[in-house]
Amino acid sequence: LVVGVGVFTRLLVVFVLGTFRNPELFEYDDMARSLNSGVGYVYPHFGVEYKSYYPGVPYIGWTAFLYSLFPNSVVLGQAAVLLAQSVMSGLLAYVVFLIGRELWNGRAGVVAAGLTLMHPGLAYYDTHKLHPLSFDTLLVTFVVWALLLLRTSESFPKVLLTGIVLGVAMLQRGSLALFVPVSAVWVWLTGSQALRIQRSVVFALGVVVAISPWLIRNYQVHGVPLMTTTNGEHFWLGNAPHSLGSATLPSGELVIDQSPAAVWDATSEMEQNEIYWQAAMDNVSADPGGFVAGIFKKFVYFWTIAPQTGVRYPGLYSIGYFAFYIPLMLFAFVGAWRVANRDNYDTTDALWVLLLIGSVFLSVSLIHSLLYFELRHRWLLEPMLAIFAAIGILKCCDRTVRPGQPVSG
């Protein structure tokens, strides 16, 4: 019922308010249409034809497929993508429910699913933008759920599937790079002594199966088995002297507008990437202390609010979001504490679960602290934060019950 209401509400916004007629478009739309036109997986960027601008083949692939179903109608194709994104959020909420039920109980799962569907940022992106945010979040959350299930399963097919999903999630979100070794350690530690090596090998095989076609393709194109050719640009964005760690300045101007002059003379994406890397490393060498301080500052901004947060949206949008986020974070602290100290529960096991989910939070936020961050990057993690918030909400509600009154759950 909760999932159905959440998806139906999104569809009302898309079709009743008519957002499908003019959604905000990004590079994903350009690359999907490029695929359908026969040009290939390319994107024009700074006067150069990029062939590895973004590795998100799954999202761009099914976007291209949906477009191909309506070759004579741009509007219907875009409506189909918005519909699919809304369904993805429904699936995301269901996986959140499964994790909540696994970690605490069904009540917590339902509340967490409801919080996920109420998330103002995800709901806005689902209904107003052709963007893979909900799809990326679904993949990450599914990986966490699958890893939790591996605690009580020796099934090699499940281990392989978990590795494959993590690999696909890596293609969508490179910020999961640090979570790959963490997941491998989790698979190792949660297996029986006799099967640890086999489980780790199968898990690694799953990751390789998922990402190797893209790496092989890029090796054929560039001569290097890389994931993307924009890592240098992203590292420069977050660490340029005039940057505050984001792609946008508090004035609303874009950091990229002050790119090194040599970028405009480059003739290939590999050359542009190298120029950005060199410029960024020169900045780091010139002020290593500022670089380290910038990492810490970006980490704090990632979890709180940055000077440039919301400058490209109406002020009411930021107020609405933080009215949701601040209570979510406070209740999540309560919920995490309650999980770690739950009665009639294996405290050691609970701490391992907290460590797993916390490692996702840490690995993603650290990557963005090294490179650059935007507020939406945190939304990748907030559905999992909602699980702890749901536990905290239920705990606080149960405390308000009068002595002697029965408490369910």
Side-chain angles (χ1 to χ4, degrees):
L1 179 61
V2 170
V3 171
V5 169
V7 174
F8 181 70
T9 303
R10 282 163 166 73
L11 298 185
L12 286 179
V13 173
V14 171
F15 294 106
V16 175
L17 297 185
T19 61
F20 70 94
R21 295 189 183 91
N22 190 32
E24 186 175 353
L25 305 178
F26 299 87
E27 62 270 18
Y28 321 109
D29 172 77
D30 291 325
M31 286 189 276
R33 296 190 185 283
S34 180
L35 282 174
N36 285 348
S37 68
V39 174
Y41 195 87
V42 298
Y43 179 68
H45 185 57
F46 292 150
V48 172
E49 187 180 75
Y50 272 62
K51 297 182 179 179
S52 301
Y53 180 79
Y54 172 71
V57 181
Y59 176 82
I60 294 172
W62 64 256
T63 298
F65 169 73
L66 292 174
Y67 283 174
S68 70
L69 299 178
F70 306 96
N72 300 319
S73 176
V74 173
V75 172
L76 288 178
Q78 293 174 347
V81 176
L82 291 174
L83 171 62
Q85 290 175 180
S86 299
V87 173
M88 290 293 175
S89 270
L91 294 175
L92 166 63
Y94 184 69
V95 176
V96 166
F97 160 75
L98 294 176
I99 297 176
R101 186 177 63 180
E102 176 75 13
L103 183 59
W104 194 253
N105 59 28
R107 292 172 66 210
V110 171
V111 174
L115 290 172
T116 299
L117 291 165
M118 290 170 56
H119 191 290
L122 292 175
Y124 184 78
Y125 267 66
D126 287 341
T127 57
H128 289 73
K129 301 171 182 279
L130 301 190
H131 194 283
L133 186 59
S134 291
F135 180 57
D136 298 352
T137 309
L138 170 62
L139 289 173
V140 175
T141 309
F142 185 84
V143 169
V144 171
W145 176 63
L147 287 170
L148 289 177
L149 293 185
L150 291 183
R151 292 175 302 150
T152 56
S153 173
E154 298 290 354
S155 169
F156 286 113
K158 289 183 180 179
V159 175
L160 179 66
L161 176 62
T162 304
I164 290 174
V165 176
L166 179 56
V168 174
M170 268 284 295
L171 289 175
Q172 284 292 135
R173 278 288 140 204
S175 53
L176 290 172
L178 293 179
F179 188 57
V180 174
V182 172
S183 300
V185 171
W186 173 271
V187 172
W188 170 275
L189 292 175
T190 55
S192 62
Q193 193 74 29
L195 297 176
R196 283 182 172 178
I197 295 178
Q198 295 94 317
R199 281 164 58 92
S200 299
V201 170
V202 171
F203 179 78
L205 178 63
V207 176
V208 171
V209 165
I211 67 174
S212 59
W214 180 249
L215 295 178
I216 293 171
R217 178 262 188 190
N218 286 341
Y219 179 78
Q220 293 175 333
V221 173
H222 306 292
V224 181
L226 47 75
M227 291 288 286
T228 178
T229 51
T230 56
N231 282 331
E233 178 185 323
H234 294 165
F235 186 64
W236 178 86
L237 276 176
N239 297 283
H242 67 293
S243 170
L244 292 177
S246 170
T248 308
L249 298 172
S251 63
E253 299 174 279
L254 298 178
V255 174
I256 203 73
D257 290 342
Q258 299 183 39
S259 292
V263 168
W264 307 104
D265 298 324
T267 58
S268 72
E269 57 189 303
M270 294 291 287
E271 188 178 349
Q272 287 186 346
N273 190 50
E274 179 59 32
I275 292 170
Y276 277 117
W277 270 117
Q278 187 59 53
M281 294 309 299
D282 290 344
N283 294 333
V284 172
S285 299
D287 186 14
F291 170 67
V292 175
I295 293 175
F296 176 77
K297 186 181 296 184
K298 283 183 284 185
F299 185 86
V300 174
Y301 283 160
F302 183 92
W303 288 107
T304 56
I305 183 172
Q308 67 275 14
T309 296
V311 297
R312 303 179 69 182
Y313 293 94
L316 186 61
Y317 286 22
S318 294
I319 294 174
Y321 165 70
F322 282 103
F324 173 85
Y325 175 69
I326 293 174
L328 184 81
M329 179 65 84
L330 294 176
F331 280 118
F333 278 118
V334 175
W337 177 262
R338 187 67 186 95
V339 169
N341 295 276
R342 182 178 184 179
D343 299 330
N344 302 320
Y345 192 76
D346 187 340
T347 304
T348 303
D349 188 50
L351 291 176
W352 273 108
V353 174
L354 285 173
L355 183 62
L356 174 66
I357 298 178
S359 69
V360 184
F361 294 168
L362 183 62
S363 60
V364 172
S365 54
L366 278 179
I367 285 289
H368 285 293
S369 299
L370 287 169
L371 300 176
Y372 85 107
F373 73 95
E374 301 291 353
L375 179 63
R376 68 177 182 275
H377 294 147
R378 187 172 72 212
W379 296 346
L380 187 75
L381 307 173
E382 288 181 15
M384 283 182 284
L385 201 63
I387 297 168
F388 294 109
I391 297 171
I393 290 171
L394 291 175
K395 179 61 180 176
C396 292
C397 289
D398 289 346
R399 282 183 178 274
T400 64
V401 178
R402 294 189 302 271
Q405 184 175 346
V407 178
S408 61

